Amino acid sequence: MNFKCPLIVVADMAVSRTFYEDVLRQKVILDFGANITFAGDFALQTKDSWRDFIKKSEILNKPNNFELYFEEEAFDKFMTHLKNFSIDYLHDVVEYPWGQRVTRFYDPDGHIIEVGESMTTVVKRFLSQGMTVAETAEKTQHPIEFVRKCLSF
């Protein structure tokens, strides 16, 4: 058995598609009208068609129990890009103890979106600030081999 992709239910496909294409710069690879799949291997399904599939009338909004996680190499540029949109943030940028900066916000249907720096970017940032490979590995909680590999990117 192979896991294929997460699917999230949306009230208005046009609004959600625009959000994922414009805000998160995702590319649609399959469009079936009531269902679309993005190159990042996640899908959107219309609420009405989903109700028919599962034979349930109640679809929860903003349950805060699931997120779609994206990584961004140019994190600061992305944060500037977000200023072009009306975003409902869970929180502004947070830097975790391992050095990764992330932000979380809601999509139009209340699904949590997390966008974080890639760990390659975090490693490069620490190395450029003068940290050694060993210090960077310890700080980022990644193996020394991963940190060394980041030097070649």
Side-chain angles (χ1 to χ4, degrees):
M1 179 183 305
N2 294 315
F3 176 76
K4 293 313 249 179
C5 77
L7 177 144
I8 59 174
V9 177
V10 300
D12 185 321
M13 183 62 78
V15 168
S16 293
R17 180 177 179 156
T18 297
F19 175 85
Y20 283 95
E21 287 180 321
D22 293 353
V23 176
L24 296 171
R25 302 181 195 133
Q26 299 301 294
K27 303 289 183 225
V28 172
I29 57 171
L30 293 170
D31 183 346
F32 301 105
N35 175 287
I36 61 172
T37 302
F38 291 95
D41 291 330
F42 70 97
L44 306 180
Q45 184 79 36
T46 61
K47 191 178 281 191
D48 290 339
S49 63
W50 186 247
R51 279 188 186 113
D52 288 343
F53 291 157
I54 66 169
K55 308 296 185 221
K56 301 282 183 190
S57 61
E58 183 181 21
I59 306 293
L60 300 176
N61 288 329
K62 241 180 194 178
N64 292 322
N65 63 0
F66 172 85
E67 74 175 19
L68 293 178
Y69 173 68
F70 297 85
E71 286 190 345
E72 176 60 53
E73 295 293 329
F75 187 77
D76 292 324
K77 285 184 182 180
F78 177 75
M79 292 307 298
T80 299
H81 167 75
L82 281 184
K83 292 178 182 175
N84 296 312
F85 304 95
S86 177
I87 301 293
D88 181 10
Y89 289 92
L90 271 79
H91 60 75
D92 199 9
V93 175
V94 173
E95 184 171 326
Y96 287 108
W98 54 90
Q100 184 185 36
R101 297 179 298 159
V102 306
T103 187
R104 287 184 180 89
F105 48 90
Y106 291 107
D107 79 356
D109 292 280
H111 302 106
I112 297 173
I113 305 299
E114 177 182 345
V115 178
E117 286 180 289
S118 75
M119 287 309 295
T120 299
T121 301
V122 174
V123 166
K124 287 179 176 181
R125 179 164 40 92
F126 287 154
L127 292 170
S128 73
Q129 292 171 350
M131 291 177 75
T132 67
V133 168
E135 291 168 336
T136 301
E138 183 177 340
K139 173 74 173 172
T140 62
Q141 304 170 14
H142 278 65
I144 286 178
E145 296 78 26
F146 176 81
V147 174
R148 285 191 181 121
K149 189 174 179 181
C150 291
L151 290 169
S152 64
F153 293 133

Coordinates of all heavy atoms in Angstrom, one line a residue, residues 60-108:
L60 N -16.7 20.0 9.5 CA -16.2 21.0 10.4 C -15.2 22.0 9.8 O -14.5 21.7 8.9 CB -15.4 20.3 11.6 CG -16.1 19.3 12.4 CD1 -15.2 18.6 13.4 CD2 -17.3 19.9 13.1
N61 N -15.3 23.3 10.2 CA -14.4 24.3 9.8 C -13.5 24.7 11.0 O -14.0 24.7 12.1 CB -15.2 25.5 9.3 CG -15.9 25.3 8.0 OD1 -15.4 24.6 7.2 ND2 -17.0 25.9 7.8
K62 N -12.3 25.0 10.6 CA -11.3 25.5 11.6 C -11.2 24.5 12.8 O -11.2 24.9 13.9 CB -11.6 26.9 12.1 CG -10.6 27.9 11.8 CD -11.0 29.3 12.3 CE -10.0 30.3 11.6 NZ -10.4 31.6 12.0
P63 N -10.9 23.2 12.6 CA -10.8 22.3 13.7 C -9.5 22.4 14.4 O -9.3 21.9 15.5 CB -11.0 20.9 13.0 CG -10.5 21.1 11.6 CD -10.9 22.5 11.3
N64 N -8.5 23.1 13.8 CA -7.2 23.2 14.4 C -6.5 21.9 14.8 O -5.8 21.9 15.8 CB -7.2 24.2 15.6 CG -7.6 25.6 15.3 OD1 -7.1 26.1 14.3 ND2 -8.4 26.2 16.1
N65 N -6.7 20.9 14.0 CA -6.1 19.6 14.3 C -5.3 19.0 13.2 O -5.0 17.8 13.2 CB -7.2 18.6 14.8 CG -8.2 18.3 13.7 OD1 -8.2 18.8 12.6 ND2 -9.2 17.5 14.0
F66 N -5.0 19.8 12.2 CA -4.3 19.3 11.0 C -3.7 20.6 10.3 O -4.3 21.6 10.4 CB -5.4 18.7 10.0 CG -4.8 18.3 8.7 CD1 -4.2 17.1 8.5 CD2 -5.0 19.2 7.6 CE1 -3.7 16.8 7.3 CE2 -4.5 18.8 6.4 CZ -3.8 17.6 6.2
E67 N -2.5 20.4 9.7 CA -1.9 21.4 8.9 C -1.3 20.9 7.7 O -0.9 19.7 7.6 CB -0.9 22.2 9.8 CG 0.4 21.5 10.0 CD 1.4 22.4 10.7 OE1 1.1 23.4 11.4 OE2 2.6 22.1 10.6
L68 N -1.2 21.8 6.7 CA -0.4 21.5 5.5 C 0.9 22.3 5.7 O 0.9 23.5 6.0 CB -1.1 22.0 4.2 CG -2.3 21.2 3.8 CD1 -2.9 21.9 2.6 CD2 -2.0 19.8 3.6
Y69 N 2.0 21.6 5.6 CA 3.4 22.1 5.9 C 4.1 22.4 4.6 O 4.2 21.5 3.8 CB 4.2 21.2 6.8 CG 5.6 21.6 7.0 CD1 5.9 22.7 7.7 CD2 6.6 20.8 6.5 CE1 7.2 23.1 7.9 CE2 7.9 21.2 6.7 CZ 8.2 22.3 7.4 OH 9.5 22.7 7.6
F70 N 4.6 23.6 4.4 CA 5.4 24.0 3.2 C 6.7 24.5 3.7 O 6.8 25.1 4.8 CB 4.7 25.1 2.4 CG 3.3 24.7 1.9 CD1 2.2 24.8 2.6 CD2 3.2 24.2 0.6 CE1 1.0 24.4 2.1 CE2 2.0 23.8 0.0 CZ 0.9 23.9 0.8
E71 N 7.7 24.3 2.9 CA 9.0 24.9 3.2 C 9.4 25.9 2.1 O 9.0 25.7 0.9 CB 10.1 23.8 3.2 CG 10.1 23.0 4.5 CD 11.3 22.1 4.7 OE1 12.1 21.9 3.8 OE2 11.4 21.6 5.8
E72 N 10.0 27.0 2.5 CA 10.4 28.1 1.6 C 11.9 28.4 1.7 O 12.4 28.6 2.9 CB 9.6 29.3 1.9 CG 9.9 30.5 1.1 CD 9.7 30.4 -0.4 OE1 8.6 29.9 -0.8 OE2 10.7 30.7 -1.1
E73 N 12.6 28.3 0.6 CA 14.0 28.7 0.6 C 14.2 30.2 0.9 O 15.1 30.5 1.7 CB 14.7 28.3 -0.7 CG 14.7 26.8 -1.0 CD 15.6 26.0 -0.1 OE1 16.6 26.5 0.4 OE2 15.2 24.8 0.2
A74 N 13.4 31.0 0.3 CA 13.5 32.5 0.4 C 12.5 32.9 1.4 O 11.5 33.6 1.0 CB 13.4 33.1 -0.9
F75 N 12.6 32.6 2.7 CA 11.6 32.8 3.7 C 11.3 34.3 3.9 O 10.1 34.7 3.9 CB 12.1 32.2 5.0 CG 11.0 32.2 6.1 CD1 9.9 31.3 6.1 CD2 11.0 33.2 7.1 CE1 8.9 31.3 7.0 CE2 10.1 33.2 8.1 CZ 9.0 32.3 8.0
D76 N 12.3 35.1 4.0 CA 12.0 36.6 4.1 C 11.3 37.2 3.0 O 10.3 38.0 3.1 CB 13.3 37.3 4.4 CG 14.0 37.0 5.7 OD1 13.3 36.7 6.7 OD2 15.2 36.9 5.7
K77 N 11.6 36.8 1.7 CA 10.9 37.2 0.6 C 9.4 36.7 0.6 O 8.5 37.5 0.2 CB 11.6 36.8 -0.7 CG 12.8 37.5 -1.1 CD 13.4 37.1 -2.4 CE 14.7 37.8 -2.7 NZ 15.2 37.4 -4.0
F78 N 9.2 35.5 1.0 CA 7.9 35.0 1.1 C 7.1 35.8 2.1 O 5.9 36.1 1.9 CB 7.9 33.5 1.5 CG 6.5 32.9 1.7 CD1 5.7 32.7 0.6 CD2 6.0 32.7 2.9 CE1 4.4 32.2 0.7 CE2 4.7 32.3 3.1 CZ 3.9 32.0 2.0
M79 N 7.7 36.1 3.3 CA 6.9 36.9 4.3 C 6.5 38.3 3.7 O 5.4 38.8 4.0 CB 7.7 37.0 5.6 CG 7.9 35.7 6.3 SD 6.4 34.9 6.7 CE 5.6 36.0 7.7
T80 N 7.4 38.9 2.9 CA 7.1 40.1 2.2 C 5.9 39.9 1.2 O 5.0 40.7 1.1 CB 8.3 40.7 1.5 OG1 9.3 40.9 2.5 CG2 8.0 42.0 0.8
H81 N 6.0 38.8 0.5 CA 4.9 38.4 -0.5 C 3.6 38.3 0.2 O 2.6 38.7 -0.3 CB 5.3 37.1 -1.1 CG 4.3 36.4 -1.9 ND1 3.8 36.8 -3.1 CD2 3.5 35.3 -1.6 CE1 2.9 36.0 -3.6 NE2 2.7 35.1 -2.7
L82 N 3.5 37.7 1.4 CA 2.3 37.5 2.2 C 1.6 38.9 2.5 O 0.4 38.9 2.6 CB 2.5 36.8 3.5 CG 2.7 35.3 3.4 CD1 2.8 34.7 4.8 CD2 1.5 34.6 2.7
K83 N 2.3 40.0 2.5 CA 1.8 41.3 2.8 C 0.8 41.7 1.7 O 0.0 42.6 1.9 CB 2.9 42.3 3.1 CG 3.6 42.0 4.3 CD 4.8 43.0 4.5 CE 5.5 42.7 5.8 NZ 6.7 43.5 6.0
N84 N 0.9 41.1 0.6 CA 0.0 41.4 -0.6 C -1.4 40.8 -0.4 O -2.3 41.1 -1.3 CB 0.6 40.9 -1.9 CG 1.9 41.6 -2.2 OD1 2.0 42.9 -2.1 ND2 2.9 40.8 -2.5
F85 N -1.6 40.0 0.6 CA -2.9 39.3 0.8 C -3.4 39.6 2.2 O -2.7 39.9 3.1 CB -2.6 37.8 0.6 CG -2.0 37.5 -0.7 CD1 -0.6 37.3 -0.8 CD2 -2.8 37.3 -1.8 CE1 0.0 37.1 -2.0 CE2 -2.2 37.0 -3.1 CZ -0.8 36.9 -3.2
S86 N -4.7 39.4 2.3 CA -5.4 39.4 3.6 C -5.3 38.0 4.2 O -6.0 37.1 3.8 CB -6.9 39.8 3.4 OG -7.5 39.8 4.7
I87 N -4.4 37.9 5.2 CA -4.1 36.6 5.8 C -4.5 36.6 7.2 O -4.3 37.5 8.0 CB -2.5 36.4 5.8 CG1 -2.0 36.4 4.3 CG2 -2.2 35.1 6.5 CD1 -2.5 35.3 3.4
D88 N -5.2 35.5 7.6 CA -5.6 35.3 9.0 C -4.6 34.4 9.7 O -4.5 33.2 9.6 CB -7.0 34.5 9.0 CG -7.6 34.3 10.4 OD1 -7.0 34.8 11.4 OD2 -8.5 33.5 10.4
Y89 N -3.7 35.1 10.4 CA -2.5 34.4 11.0 C -2.9 33.8 12.3 O -3.7 34.3 13.1 CB -1.4 35.5 11.3 CG -0.7 36.0 10.1 CD1 -1.1 37.2 9.5 CD2 0.4 35.3 9.6 CE1 -0.5 37.6 8.4 CE2 1.0 35.8 8.5 CZ 0.6 37.0 7.9 OH 1.2 37.4 6.7
L90 N -2.3 32.6 12.6 CA -2.4 32.0 13.9 C -1.3 32.6 14.7 O -1.5 32.9 15.9 CB -2.1 30.5 13.8 CG -3.3 29.6 13.6 CD1 -3.7 29.5 12.2 CD2 -3.0 28.2 14.2
H91 N -0.1 32.9 14.1 CA 1.0 33.6 14.8 C 1.9 34.1 13.7 O 2.0 33.6 12.6 CB 1.7 32.7 15.8 CG 2.3 31.5 15.2 ND1 3.5 31.5 14.4 CD2 2.0 30.2 15.3 CE1 3.8 30.3 14.1 NE2 2.9 29.5 14.6
D92 N 2.6 35.2 14.1 CA 3.6 35.7 13.2 C 4.8 34.8 13.2 O 4.8 33.7 13.6 CB 4.0 37.1 13.8 CG 4.7 38.0 12.7 OD1 4.7 37.6 11.5 OD2 5.3 39.1 13.1
V93 N 5.9 35.2 12.7 CA 7.1 34.4 12.6 C 7.6 34.0 14.0 O 7.8 34.9 14.9 CB 8.2 35.1 11.8 CG1 9.5 34.3 11.8 CG2 7.8 35.4 10.4
V94 N 7.9 32.7 14.1 CA 8.5 32.2 15.4 C 9.7 31.5 15.0 O 9.8 30.8 14.0 CB 7.5 31.2 16.0 CG1 8.1 30.5 17.2 CG2 6.2 31.8 16.4
E95 N 10.8 31.6 15.8 CA 12.0 30.9 15.6 C 12.1 29.8 16.7 O 12.1 30.1 17.9 CB 13.3 31.8 15.6 CG 14.5 31.0 15.3 CD 15.8 31.8 15.0 OE1 15.6 32.9 14.5 OE2 16.9 31.3 15.4
Y96 N 12.2 28.6 16.2 CA 12.2 27.5 17.2 C 13.7 27.2 17.7 O 14.6 27.7 17.1 CB 11.7 26.2 16.6 CG 10.1 26.3 16.4 CD1 9.5 26.5 15.2 CD2 9.4 26.2 17.6 CE1 8.1 26.6 15.1 CE2 8.0 26.3 17.5 CZ 7.4 26.5 16.3 OH 6.0 26.6 16.2
P97 N 13.8 26.5 18.8 CA 15.2 26.3 19.3 C 16.2 25.7 18.3 O 17.4 26.0 18.4 CB 15.0 25.3 20.5 CG 13.6 25.6 20.9 CD 12.8 25.9 19.7
W98 N 15.7 25.0 17.3 CA 16.7 24.4 16.3 C 17.0 25.4 15.2 O 17.7 25.1 14.3 CB 16.1 23.1 15.8 CG 14.7 23.2 15.2 CD1 14.4 23.5 13.9 CD2 13.5 23.0 15.9 NE1 13.0 23.6 13.8 CE2 12.5 23.2 15.0 CE3 13.2 22.7 17.2 CZ2 11.1 23.1 15.3 CZ3 11.9 22.6 17.5 CH2 10.8 22.8 16.6
G99 N 16.4 26.7 15.3 CA 16.8 27.7 14.4 C 15.8 28.0 13.2 O 15.9 29.0 12.5
Q100 N 14.9 27.1 13.0 CA 14.0 27.2 11.9 C 12.9 28.3 12.2 O 12.3 28.3 13.3 CB 13.3 25.9 11.6 CG 12.4 26.0 10.4 CD 11.6 24.7 10.2 OE1 11.2 24.0 11.1 NE2 11.4 24.3 8.9
R101 N 12.7 29.2 11.3 CA 11.7 30.2 11.4 C 10.4 29.7 10.7 O 10.5 29.2 9.6 CB 12.1 31.5 10.9 CG 13.3 32.1 11.6 CD 13.8 33.4 11.0 NE 14.2 33.2 9.7 CZ 14.3 34.2 8.8 NH1 14.0 35.5 9.1 NH2 14.8 34.0 7.6
V102 N 9.3 29.9 11.3 CA 8.0 29.4 10.7 C 6.9 30.5 11.0 O 7.0 31.3 11.9 CB 7.5 28.1 11.2 CG1 8.6 27.0 11.0 CG2 7.1 28.1 12.6
T103 N 5.9 30.4 10.2 CA 4.6 31.2 10.4 C 3.5 30.2 10.1 O 3.6 29.3 9.4 CB 4.5 32.4 9.6 OG1 3.4 33.2 10.0 CG2 4.4 32.1 8.1
R104 N 2.4 30.5 10.8 CA 1.2 29.7 10.5 C 0.0 30.6 10.3 O -0.1 31.6 11.0 CB 0.9 28.8 11.7 CG 1.8 27.6 11.8 CD 1.4 26.6 13.0 NE 2.3 25.5 13.1 CZ 3.4 25.5 13.8 NH1 3.8 26.6 14.5 NH2 4.2 24.4 13.8
F105 N -0.9 30.2 9.4 CA -2.1 31.0 9.1 C -3.1 30.1 8.5 O -2.9 28.9 8.3 CB -1.7 32.1 8.1 CG -1.0 31.7 6.9 CD1 -1.6 31.3 5.7 CD2 0.4 31.8 6.9 CE1 -0.9 31.0 4.6 CE2 1.2 31.4 5.8 CZ 0.5 31.0 4.6
Y106 N -4.3 30.6 8.4 CA -5.4 29.8 7.9 C -5.6 30.0 6.4 O -5.4 31.1 5.9 CB -6.7 30.2 8.6 CG -6.8 29.8 10.0 CD1 -6.7 30.7 11.0 CD2 -7.0 28.5 10.4 CE1 -6.8 30.4 12.3 CE2 -7.1 28.1 11.7 CZ -7.0 29.1 12.7 OH -7.0 28.7 14.0
D107 N -6.0 29.0 5.7 CA -6.5 29.1 4.3 C -8.0 29.6 4.4 O -8.5 29.8 5.4 CB -6.3 27.8 3.5 CG -7.3 26.7 3.7 OD1 -8.2 26.9 4.6 OD2 -7.3 25.7 3.1
P108 N -8.6 29.8 3.2 CA -10.0 30.4 3.2 C -11.0 29.5 4.0 O -12.0 30.0 4.4 CB -10.3 30.5 1.8 CG -9.0 30.7 1.1 CD -8.1 29.8 1.9

